Every structure is written in C-alpha cells, then in structure tokens.
Amino acid sequence: MVRVAILGASGYGGSELIRILGRHPEVRLVGFSSRAYAGRPLSAAWPQIDLNTPFAQVEEAVAEAELVFMALPNGIAMELAPRLVEEGRRVVDLSGDFRLPPDVYEAWYGIRHASPDWYPRARYGLTELFRDDLPGAELVANPGCYVTAASLALAPLVTAGLDGRVAVAAMSGVSGAGRDAGGTAFAEVNENLRPYKPAGRHRHTAEIEFNLARLRAQGRKVRTHGPAEARPLSFTPHLVPMTRGILVTAYVDPPRGVAPGELAELFGEFYAGERFVRLTEDLPQTKGVYGANTVWISPKLDERTGQIVVFAAIDNLVKGASGQAVQNMNVVLGYDEGLGLETHGLWP
Amino acid sequence: MVRVAILGASGYGGSELIRILGRHPEVRLVGFSSRAYAGRPLSAAWPQIDLNTPFAQVEEAVAEAELVFMALPNGIAMELAPRLVEEGRRVVDLSGDFRLPPDVYEAWYGIRHASPDWYPRARYGLTELFRDDLPGAELVANPGCYVTAASLALAPLVTAGLDGRVAVAAMSGVSGAGRDAGGTAFAEVNENLRPYKPAGRHRHTAEIEFNLARLRAQGRKVRTHGPAEARPLSFTPHLVPMTRGILVTAYVDPPRGVAPGELAELFGEFYAGERFVRLTEDLPQTKGVYGANTVWISPKLDERTGQIVVFAAIDNLVKGASGQAVQNMNVVLGYDEGLGLETHGLWP
Amino acid sequence: MVRVAILGASGYGGSELIRILGRHPEVRLVGFSSRAYAGRPLSAAWPQIDLNTPFAQVEEAVAEAELVFMALPNGIAMELAPRLVEEGRRVVDLSGDFRLPPDVYEAWYGIRHASPDWYPRARYGLTELFRDDLPGAELVANPGCYVTAASLALAPLVTAGLDGRVAVAAMSGVSGAGRDAGGTAFAEVNENLRPYKPAGRHRHTAEIEFNLARLRAQGRKVRTHGPAEARPLSFTPHLVPMTRGILVTAYVDPPRGVAPGELAELFGEFYAGERFVRLTEDLPQTKGVYGANTVWISPKLDERTGQIVVFAAIDNLVKGASGQAVQNMNVVLGYDEGLGLETHGLWP
Amino acid sequence: MVRVAILGASGYGGSELIRILGRHPEVRLVGFSSRAYAGRPLSAAWPQIDLNTPFAQVEEAVAEAELVFMALPNGIAMELAPRLVEEGRRVVDLSGDFRLPPDVYEAWYGIRHASPDWYPRARYGLTELFRDDLPGAELVANPGCYVTAASLALAPLVTAGLDGRVAVAAMSGVSGAGRDAGGTAFAEVNENLRPYKPAGRHRHTAEIEFNLARLRAQGRKVRTHGPAEARPLSFTPHLVPMTRGILVTAYVDPPRGVAPGELAELFGEFYAGERFVRLTEDLPQTKGVYGANTVWISPKLDERTGQIVVFAAIDNLVKGASGQAVQNMNVVLGYDEGLGLETHGLWP
C-alpha cells in the first residue's frame, strides 16, 4: 500500500485520478488539494462524487503522502516538486515542467525554469517507450496528451528508420483544454470543428520531436532523457465537438518503398506484449477507448503515393494524462502495471 | 422565372434544395420526386416542412420543369439526365456520374458508365474555379463535398506552381453520409471520432486530383473538363460527431521557399471579388459557415518545416452540395450568382 | 424603410437580430453597441460574420436610429428605454424590465424598478395573443423564451375555461443562458441533462401566470397589460445538451371531461390564420423549427387520466427572442408581419 | 464463483453486462449469444472490445452456464426462460415478459403470454424496493429503465400516503431505444428534442402504476408481485440528444399540506443505508451517474402551489438495465450487493 495525495484535485486531471485511484487496490488516498475549493467537500467541485472528504491546501494535502500526483498548471511543479522529493516523497507531475530540456522548455513555454538542475533527475513517463527508466524514479514527468498518441503512432517507424517527412493532424475533445478553459462554451463548440495553434505553434510539437529524436538516436535503451537532436515535424491540433478522445492521423513519407505486409509486422513486433496497445486492421475510434488506458493504433500504406498513414486513438484524460500517470506509478513502485486501469472503453 | 423540379427530394440534398430554392426569387418549384414517399406530403418526410405538396414519381415531378436538380444515388443520372436534356430540360446533377472521365469514373465507382459520350457535354460546376464553362450549360456535374473544400484550398497554390507533395486530412459531419446511411446512430457517433476510407480509398481523391491536374495544365481557362494527367495525392476523411460541416487541412510541401506574406497575397489575388470565399488570418470554423454557401479559407506557412498548411471550411450540404448547385444554376441561367444563397452562418 | 440600431449586439440575442434584420427588406442597420467590443469590428465577436462595421458605444449606436432593439441584461432598459422614447425613437426591449407590473417585477427580479410609471406605456409583444396592442407602440416588452412557448401552448385552454391545475415541464438548449453564462462548458453539458430553478423559482413562472390571468380575465381584447389576478402554476426548466430549442410539456387538469376531437378543434380555431403557429397531430420536435420563427404545437388528451398534455416547440433565439422581436417591429410599423422571418427550420 | 452466460450480447444491454461482469470477482463469463454475430468474435460487434471470444447460438452459449442474463426483445424470454430454469439454471430477464401480470402484459404489449403460469414464480427486481423477494430466486424480472427512476422517485411518497394526482415527465438518452432502433440517426437527433408515446401510451406507464399500487397496498413487505389495483398516472417520455441517462421529473399533488423539512426527512429514512441511492439538496444531473449504478434523487416542495416535485437521475443502461440486473444477481446469490458495480460516474 502507498499513501497518495492529488494536487489540483478540482481539475479534470485530478478528478480522473480520483476515479482511477479510487479502485486501485494498493493506493490509499490521503490528500486532495485545490486552491479554489480548499475547505469544501469534494462534492462541491464534482457532481459525480458524493464524498464529504474536504479539499485542502497543498501543505495539508501532502502531509501524510508518500507519493504525490501533481495536476497543476505549468510553472508550479518546477518549484514544488523538488521540495517534495527532498522531503522523501515521490512525485508524478502531469505538467510540462520536466518533460523537456530547460532551454527547450523555456523557448516553447516562455517560462523561466526555476530548477533546471532537476531536469536530469526526472524520468519521462511515456511508459511503453521508456519503461525501463522508471523503476524507483523519484520524479516522473508525465507526457502530454497529443504527445502520447503521436509518439506511440510514430515510434515503430522511427526506430526502423522509416520516418522521412512527418506531418501530424491531431483532433481532440474539449476536455483537453482543462476545466476553466475559455472558448469551450457548449453553444459555440457543438456543431463546430476548428483547428488551433496551427503549423508548429503548439508546444506539444517540441515534445513529439524530442521523443522521436531520442528513439532515433538510440531506440528504447535506458537513459535519462538528455538533450537530443530534434528534426522539425509538422503538427496541427483540431478541436472536435466531443468531451473525451484524441485521434492522431500521422502522414509519413518513408525514405524507401514499403511492402504491403511490412507495417503490420513492424508494429506487431514493436508492441509485442503491451497490454495497453491495441493493434488492428480496423481503423481506431476514440469511443473505443473511452475511459480506458488503451492506445488503439492502425498503420496503413497508401499504395498510390507510397506514403504511410498511421492512426492512433486514446482517451486524452486516461492514457493521455491520469491513466498513464497511474501506469507510471505502478512501474515506479513495482506494482502490476495494470492495477486500477481498464483496457475496455465505455460503449455506447 | 424558371420552373424547377427536385429529384430525390426526400434525401438531405433534396431538403436543402427545398430550403434554398424556397426563397429564390426567380424559381418556381413544380415537382418533387421520392421513390419512398411518392404520393405522400413533403411533411411526411420532413419535420421542418409543413407543406401538403405531395412527392411524386420522377415522370410526374419533371413534367412541368424547365430545370431539374438530381439528388439521387450514383448510377441513375447517367441514364436519366441525357433523356431529360434531350427533352429540352437543363439538369444540375449532384451525383458523381458526370464529374470524371468515364474510364476514371468506372475505376473508382465500380459502375459501368451508361452514357460515356455525354461526359464531354457536361460542365463541371466548381463555380469559383470553372465559372466560365457554365453559362448556358445543359448539364452540370455538381462537385463532391470534400472535393469542393480541398480544391478551393489548393487551387491558388497549384496555379502558382507551389504544390509539391500534398496530403489532405478532411473532417466531416455525418450528414455527408446521407439520410439512410448505416453506422450513423447517435449513440455510436456522439463522443466518437474516426477516420474511414483512409489513404486514397475514398472516391473524392480522384476528383480532387483531376481538378488540380486541370488547373495545373491550363489554369481557369474555358474548356470542357477533358482528360488530364493527375498526380496522386494523399486523402483521408474523418467522421466527426456533428451534423453539418467539413474542414479540410491540406499539407503542401512547396518546391521552393515561400515568403511569410506571400500566401495571403496569392490567395487574395486568386479569389479577388468572390463573394462566397472568405479569406482571413483567423482560422476557419465550420460553424462560421453553418447554413451558408461560403467557403472560409486560411493558408499558413509553417516556418520551422517550410510546409504550407491550408485550412478550408464549408457547410457540406450547402457549398458542398445544394448551395453550390443553386449557385451553378444562377450562373447557367444568367441570374445574379447569389440569389437564394446566404453568406453568413447560423451562430450559435 | 426604417433605420435600426441593436444594443447588446455581441450577445446571442444581438447576433440573431443581425442575422434576421440583415435580410429584412425594410430595415437599414445603422448601429451596433457592445461595451466589450466597442471600436472593434463585428467579426471580432462573431466568427460567422465577416463585416468590418465596428461595434460602438450606446450613444453612437443609436444616433441615427429610428427604432432600437435592446438586447441587454435586466435593469438597463428601465433607465435607457424611456430616454430613447422621449428622444422620438421606438424601442423593442428583449429584457424583463417592462414585462411585469413593477411590484411583481421587483418581487421576482430583486431589482428596484427605476421607471414604474413607464410600465403602462409599454406594450407586451406576445404577438399571436396580444397583437392588437402593438400598432404604433413606442415601447414593446418582448416576452421571455419559456413564456412564449408556455403561453402559446396554454392560451386556447385558458380562454376556453379548460385550465385547472397546470404543471409545466420546460426543456431548453444552453444558448438560452446567454453567451457569458457560467456552467455551460461543453465538457460538462454534453451527455448531461439537468433541471434548474425548480418548482416555481424561475422568473418566467410569474410572466406565464400573468399572461394566463390576463387571457382569463378578458381574452385577447385590446388593453395595456395592467395588473391581473394570477393563479400560481408549477414551472420547472431543464437544461438539455443542445444549443437551440425549447420544448414545453404542459400538464393541465381540466375542470370537466374533454371529448377526443375537442382539442384539435379548439386549437385550430384559436390559431386560425396564424402563419407562425404550426398545429399537427404529430408531436413537435425542436429541430423542426430550428432557426425559424414558428411555434409548433400539439395538444393531446390522456384518456386514462382525463388530463390534457400540450406540447410546444420553438427556437428560443428566434420565436423565443429575436425573431418575435422583429415580428413585433413589423406589426408596430405596419409592415407585413413575416418580413425577414422564416417558417421552415434548418434540417438536418 | 458462478458461471454466467449473456444472451443478446450484441445489443447495448449485453455489452454493458460484459463491461460490468468483466470486473465482477465472483463471475466467470462462459457464453455470449447473438443471432446476428454467431460465430464471429466479440470485437466484430463491439469496437471497445478486442476479444476473440466468439458469439454463439443460444444453446451453445448457455451450455456451461449456471446463471443466464437474457437481454433479448420482448416475447422471447416467456418461452425460453422457463426451459432454462427447468434445466436448473437461474435467469435474470431484462425484457418485459415477466414484469406484469399476464393479462396486463398482453393488454400493453399486444403479445399473447406463452407462460402465464410462470409469472407467480418470477421475482421483480427493483432491488431497493423489493429486495427481500430476491434471495434464491430462480427467475428475476428486471425492471424497465423509466420504471426504475420513476418508482424510486415516488416510492417514499406513496408509502407515506402522500401521492395524489401524479404526472411524470421523463427524459432519456437515445441508447434506451436499443442498438437497432430507427429514428436515432445522429443528424436528426443532435440539436433535437422531442416527446414520444405521450400521455400514457408508453408501456412503462403500466409498470410504474403497478409498482406504486403494490407499495400502496402493503409497502415493502415480502410477497410475489401479484395482481394489485393500479391508479392511472400521467407519463410522457422525451428523447434527448445524448447517449446515456434518464431524468425523471415527477409532479405530485399531495392530499395534505407538506412541511418544508418533511420531504428530506421522509426520503432520508426511506432510503437509509442504500448505497446506490444518492439523496441531495442539489438537483440531480444525469452525467453525475454516468456509468454508475447510482440513482440520484432530490425531492422539492413548490411552496407557491403546494405541489411536490421529485427529480431522479440514473444511467439507463446501468441502474436502468444491466447494472441493476447484476445487483439483483448479487442479492439472489448472496454476494455483496455492490460487487462489480460503481457508485461514481465518469466526469467529464
């Protein structure tokens, strides 16, 4: 058993952690923080939860905790996480603070990094790709939602040297914007579809590029995620009128011709034994992984153009955030990797 | 005034024609056909219409008509349209039957073409690109929905020789599948997003390629749409949980470097004076053209990769089908091109 | 022709007025006010509008106007409208300020009425019920959205003395809450349904009661809407995951037995010749009047309980707000009542 | 451990049983039937399930089963269930076949009952109301979805003699219509709201009336559900543009005045200790019980009219169908009543 606290428990990442950890047999939830709701019961923030357990301020929330999930805005973990670790707690951080080398982070996030020296001590938790970095980690940087889908879709091609020019079209439900996001009023989102931060303006672009560069440089070998030469790729997200789900459609121009059966075999070997990776001939549907920690991937060859198109679907709040955070905790603490997590989505 | 009949008036293309032509000052609707509803009032098929005018069989519906809109499944117009024209009627056909050279059509549609000799007599109605072919036309082939958005997004680049490799990600609301389509049950479409007919399997791929080839060969000069050398492009459609709207995100690798301001200027000149083309710095939103005949286009340069990304949004049932069909009728008959059509969408 | 200004043009009521008046043959729009957007173009607030016409402050917006639509929060018109009228302008007010006797208004709205003496000068614009009050009116109080649907559903029963106990279940899309409303985030509205302000807590309760009392007292005879003895009725609104539309289901226990055919006949006579009232055997659907100014009504007798159940559907932004406001303007100025308005909804 | 088969596993009731029983610690799923999918894997019918386990015909599916869930159309269980029971299996039937006395059933369902003599042997599984009938039952009739919400909302009032005239407005997501239902196309359901089977035409009316009559006659005492004198009530369902969820708004005119605090106390006592009943001051939201087996109830007094309005929300596929079926199985077999079931919904 481990005593766990959730910081930022009044946001979507937080409520999803409550849902998942609530049924985790090895976890005891001992603290929930929320600046807005401190002192009030969980039910004040969450219509789906009828618990009187109160939200607390950070200090009180972490007091008894051995492991802390941080679901807070960017720029906070960089100061708080190191302190929590020095106090002997493990931290899984869902923000972007420790995902990228400090200089890259500062360039894309426009925030001065308060603890650049801590970057090497953090482990990057895209579980299926860098699992071996995690056991015993004190600080885990949990990947971005788009990053998780895009990196898992492209990793097999990159490690096989099949990635040439790459363009990624990503589509997400609105919960990815967070609970207090502007521009998400139902009346202006429903029956509407729109791109945003186009053509390389979204921060996740750098994180995807960095992951691919790391795989390109040395595959899945154990290492801290240090600097790496990144190749620019084209990334454009779209806002879709749904609550949950991300679909990534990745266009890859391979440096050489690819045989029809080659892709299925390549992906099959790359993800052999991965319980949260579903590979099918059928094309992914986001609803097929609704509420589950599964990533559903299907690579296709466009025989007319020779281009490879890879489709990947995840639930942005589960595999794209809180589910993968729990999966990482499981690996860090040596638990069965699937504890508390589901592989089948809610349908209909 | 012109006496107009609508064939296939119990489908979405048909009901949209009823809505638009109902307020067209120069049109008198004299016939509505529907195999399923013949003999019953329009209100039996359409909750939004409380007219007792009955649906009829084709012969009765066209009896008094000078111009006929055909919103029927592929394979019917190829036999019926020539007869109607020979009887002295004009035809605007919303099916795919006369959009492509017969051999290309047969390859993609798997239907033997019954009137290949009529293909040269048809005019292709992507109004903004091939307007000069239309005045006085006896038979108009109305473009596909995806084709309209993608061709208008890419045309300025193609005519400027700026199109290298092209990959198109298209996203559509479910009304595009038609009224009787399977796989569109609310419970399995809502909160779901999925690609379909990926990597060049969708028929519209050929029609887009053909339009670009024609522009490449000789720009917008007057001609019948004869055979042309088409370059394969990558096209993948996605089904989005909304009723109306298509967004196209087109990735183009230009053969040379492009200057920041160059795209806005190029598109501005290409579409100068077009009342149904909206060019903005802001990114298009499908809801912004909801119910309108407008195509909203915004080209962007990805300065990190040198790639051009063009976004285009239309209402698939209006500019993507019935609205453009009426726009074409207006040009054919010499009416003001905007009669009956709207430029502003319904919001919220 | 009349020169018209819209105050509160950056809200939903305002944008719907822009859409409808934009195609009104007798209207010239000369001013648009918005505190938030003053100085910026209409397109800054509205993705569906690509006009550079700027929003202005109130004074500038009304400068040239002969008639002013006020789509502002409650409590503003009570001060501004009288001044505009004294300056020789006509006013159609979409707020609640002049709908109820000042004492009733103050009790339900918790706002002290600044111009109680102006109440008798206002005319109440539920067009089909009180049309004869409107010609030449200087100040029109436009009804609430729920009020319009519920009053039209119940009016025939009330005037026929068939209303006993009345309970109204009303369901509305979220646009009714206005553009800046909290609690309308897509992620928490989609796949969700909830009642609010239950059991007589919603302000529209009083307005419905007042309308029925007025009809009960003297039917549709001409009069200013003076005080009247109101009978309490039960009213509960529900928030439905859609943008537009209100459906009212009204339960009425008649004081005497009702014959099967009696209701259709009663409603048919009551609304004879009304172009915006659709009476059918079929049950109303909100989408059937989407974007239209129509109210779709169907009364049913529950033969097992003897209870009458009346269903009525409107588009809350059209017949429930801006459309009826334009309908009222048409009557006030002696134009054809239907100018600028549609009777058929957008489908699908 | 119990070996369980699911008949009708390719319908929504069936897939929800697979999801819930899949995590039930005491259940081993040994058979799945589907006429349409027999011989094909579960994944052929269900995008959310990637199991190769095949669907079978009924006989094969039940071969090893000790307990059988029947999620089949009305009219089948009446013949099949008795045989399965005689073969020594327990049956939980989700259809309407054994919910009502045969004569009432035949009058409302228009189906001749094949096994009227088996009706007395069936136990009616509205768990919170008739739990004591269930232990050891061989055949359980699982209640209708609307019936569950409405009966639980009204039961405390009925047993306290506080129910006078009752009118129920019920609103449901479209999954309630089943997977193959017509009239549920996304393009015609989204942005649409409509009543159906109004004023006592829906079959669930009789089942609610019957439950209330039974409670009125003798409260929650143990008994088979025999004939009982039913009072007609007014019931009208509405179709809401969402997939899951039922909200019931019940209007009750009490025979005597009710004190403000009286309702909360009455409901609190009636449902004391019920883990799946959530009673709050806050009004229920369907999304608050999304995927959970919880019924969320809030009774309100309308002090202006003296009327009681009770709100109740459930997930129609869980507490309204498959979840309650599992809850009933747990009671029948003496397991902990909550095994496999959740009390917290998915949010957002």
Side-chain angles (χ1 to χ4, degrees), chain D residues 256-271:
Chain D
R256 61 165 176 81
V258 173
E262 194 173 347
L263 294 176
E265 191 183 340
L266 171 63
F267 279 69
E269 282 169 8
F270 190 89
Y271 288 120

mmCIF file of all heavy atoms in Angstrom, chain D residues 256-271:
data_model
loop_
_atom_site.group_PDB
_atom_site.id
_atom_site.type_symbol
_atom_site.label_atom_id
_atom_site.label_comp_id
_atom_site.label_asym_id
_atom_site.label_seq_id
_atom_site.Cartn_x
_atom_site.Cartn_y
_atom_site.Cartn_z
ATOM 1 N N ARG D 256 -52.501 16.367 1.408
ATOM 2 C CA ARG D 256 -52.466 17.308 2.547
ATOM 3 C C ARG D 256 -51.239 18.203 2.412
ATOM 4 O O ARG D 256 -50.341 17.921 1.612
ATOM 5 C CB ARG D 256 -52.388 16.532 3.865
ATOM 6 C CG ARG D 256 -51.144 15.667 3.992
ATOM 7 C CD ARG D 256 -50.940 15.223 5.448
ATOM 8 N NE ARG D 256 -49.804 14.308 5.589
ATOM 9 C CZ ARG D 256 -48.529 14.724 5.664
ATOM 10 N NH1 ARG D 256 -48.233 16.016 5.570
ATOM 11 N NH2 ARG D 256 -47.554 13.831 5.809
ATOM 12 N N GLY D 257 -51.223 19.272 3.185
ATOM 13 C CA GLY D 257 -50.075 20.168 3.150
ATOM 14 C C GLY D 257 -48.821 19.458 3.650
ATOM 15 O O GLY D 257 -48.891 18.561 4.494
ATOM 16 N N VAL D 258 -47.682 19.828 3.077
ATOM 17 C CA VAL D 258 -46.426 19.213 3.466
ATOM 18 C C VAL D 258 -45.520 20.292 4.049
ATOM 19 O O VAL D 258 -45.439 21.410 3.518
ATOM 20 C CB VAL D 258 -45.754 18.571 2.240
ATOM 21 C CG1 VAL D 258 -44.358 18.069 2.582
ATOM 22 C CG2 VAL D 258 -46.627 17.439 1.706
ATOM 23 N N ALA D 259 -44.849 19.972 5.163
ATOM 24 C CA ALA D 259 -43.957 20.944 5.795
ATOM 25 C C ALA D 259 -42.623 20.972 5.051
ATOM 26 O O ALA D 259 -42.189 19.942 4.531
ATOM 27 C CB ALA D 259 -43.746 20.586 7.256
ATOM 28 N N PRO D 260 -41.953 22.151 5.011
ATOM 29 C CA PRO D 260 -40.692 22.292 4.275
ATOM 30 C C PRO D 260 -39.700 21.148 4.524
ATOM 31 O O PRO D 260 -39.303 20.457 3.596
ATOM 32 C CB PRO D 260 -40.150 23.623 4.798
ATOM 33 C CG PRO D 260 -41.369 24.413 5.107
ATOM 34 C CD PRO D 260 -42.352 23.404 5.666
ATOM 35 N N GLY D 261 -39.359 20.885 5.763
ATOM 36 C CA GLY D 261 -38.322 19.880 6.023
ATOM 37 C C GLY D 261 -38.797 18.444 5.859
ATOM 38 O O GLY D 261 -37.999 17.510 5.860
ATOM 39 N N GLU D 262 -40.087 18.267 5.706
ATOM 40 C CA GLU D 262 -40.677 16.928 5.756
ATOM 41 C C GLU D 262 -40.147 15.974 4.672
ATOM 42 O O GLU D 262 -39.879 14.798 4.934
ATOM 43 C CB GLU D 262 -42.196 17.055 5.631
ATOM 44 C CG GLU D 262 -42.968 15.794 5.995
ATOM 45 C CD GLU D 262 -44.484 16.035 6.005
ATOM 46 O OE1 GLU D 262 -44.914 17.210 5.980
ATOM 47 O OE2 GLU D 262 -45.224 15.030 6.025
ATOM 48 N N LEU D 263 -39.965 16.482 3.459
ATOM 49 C CA LEU D 263 -39.581 15.605 2.355
ATOM 50 C C LEU D 263 -38.189 15.013 2.532
ATOM 51 O O LEU D 263 -37.984 13.809 2.373
ATOM 52 C CB LEU D 263 -39.667 16.369 1.026
ATOM 53 C CG LEU D 263 -41.084 16.798 0.608
ATOM 54 C CD1 LEU D 263 -41.028 17.634 -0.665
ATOM 55 C CD2 LEU D 263 -41.971 15.577 0.416
ATOM 56 N N ALA D 264 -37.224 15.882 2.875
ATOM 57 C CA ALA D 264 -35.858 15.393 3.039
ATOM 58 C C ALA D 264 -35.821 14.290 4.099
ATOM 59 O O ALA D 264 -35.162 13.258 3.920
ATOM 60 C CB ALA D 264 -34.937 16.538 3.443
ATOM 61 N N GLU D 265 -36.568 14.503 5.181
ATOM 62 C CA GLU D 265 -36.585 13.521 6.262
ATOM 63 C C GLU D 265 -37.231 12.212 5.791
ATOM 64 O O GLU D 265 -36.695 11.123 5.993
ATOM 65 C CB GLU D 265 -37.358 14.090 7.455
ATOM 66 C CG GLU D 265 -37.212 13.281 8.722
ATOM 67 C CD GLU D 265 -38.060 13.858 9.866
ATOM 68 O OE1 GLU D 265 -38.428 15.058 9.768
ATOM 69 O OE2 GLU D 265 -38.364 13.108 10.810
ATOM 70 N N LEU D 266 -38.352 12.344 5.107
ATOM 71 C CA LEU D 266 -39.062 11.162 4.615
ATOM 72 C C LEU D 266 -38.191 10.324 3.684
ATOM 73 O O LEU D 266 -38.038 9.111 3.867
ATOM 74 C CB LEU D 266 -40.326 11.600 3.870
ATOM 75 C CG LEU D 266 -41.106 10.528 3.101
ATOM 76 C CD1 LEU D 266 -41.648 9.470 4.043
ATOM 77 C CD2 LEU D 266 -42.250 11.154 2.311
ATOM 78 N N PHE D 267 -37.570 10.971 2.713
ATOM 79 C CA PHE D 267 -36.725 10.239 1.766
ATOM 80 C C PHE D 267 -35.484 9.681 2.456
ATOM 81 O O PHE D 267 -35.040 8.564 2.173
ATOM 82 C CB PHE D 267 -36.331 11.146 0.585
ATOM 83 C CG PHE D 267 -37.393 11.258 -0.478
ATOM 84 C CD1 PHE D 267 -38.593 11.934 -0.231
ATOM 85 C CD2 PHE D 267 -37.211 10.683 -1.723
ATOM 86 C CE1 PHE D 267 -39.575 12.029 -1.205
ATOM 87 C CE2 PHE D 267 -38.202 10.770 -2.706
ATOM 88 C CZ PHE D 267 -39.379 11.448 -2.447
ATOM 89 N N GLY D 268 -34.938 10.461 3.383
ATOM 90 C CA GLY D 268 -33.743 10.006 4.093
ATOM 91 C C GLY D 268 -34.003 8.728 4.861
ATOM 92 O O GLY D 268 -33.201 7.781 4.834
ATOM 93 N N GLU D 269 -35.154 8.658 5.523
ATOM 94 C CA GLU D 269 -35.484 7.442 6.276
ATOM 95 C C GLU D 269 -35.779 6.283 5.332
ATOM 96 O O GLU D 269 -35.330 5.161 5.534
ATOM 97 C CB GLU D 269 -36.696 7.705 7.176
ATOM 98 C CG GLU D 269 -36.353 8.488 8.438
ATOM 99 C CD GLU D 269 -37.615 8.959 9.163
ATOM 100 O OE1 GLU D 269 -38.730 8.543 8.763
ATOM 101 O OE2 GLU D 269 -37.475 9.763 10.099
ATOM 102 N N PHE D 270 -36.531 6.579 4.284
ATOM 103 C CA PHE D 270 -36.939 5.515 3.370
ATOM 104 C C PHE D 270 -35.737 4.826 2.729
ATOM 105 O O PHE D 270 -35.725 3.613 2.562
ATOM 106 C CB PHE D 270 -37.854 6.085 2.284
ATOM 107 C CG PHE D 270 -38.534 5.047 1.431
ATOM 108 C CD1 PHE D 270 -39.762 4.518 1.805
ATOM 109 C CD2 PHE D 270 -37.956 4.574 0.262
ATOM 110 C CE1 PHE D 270 -40.404 3.550 1.028
ATOM 111 C CE2 PHE D 270 -38.582 3.607 -0.522
ATOM 112 C CZ PHE D 270 -39.810 3.096 -0.134
ATOM 113 N N TYR D 271 -34.710 5.623 2.400
ATOM 114 C CA TYR D 271 -33.554 5.062 1.708
ATOM 115 C C TYR D 271 -32.318 4.945 2.584
ATOM 116 O O TYR D 271 -31.192 4.811 2.085
ATOM 117 C CB TYR D 271 -33.243 5.884 0.454
ATOM 118 C CG TYR D 271 -34.259 5.673 -0.661
ATOM 119 C CD1 TYR D 271 -34.996 6.731 -1.165
ATOM 120 C CD2 TYR D 271 -34.476 4.402 -1.196
ATOM 121 C CE1 TYR D 271 -35.928 6.535 -2.196
ATOM 122 C CE2 TYR D 271 -35.405 4.192 -2.209
ATOM 123 C CZ TYR D 271 -36.124 5.262 -2.705
ATOM 124 O OH TYR D 271 -37.050 5.059 -3.705
#
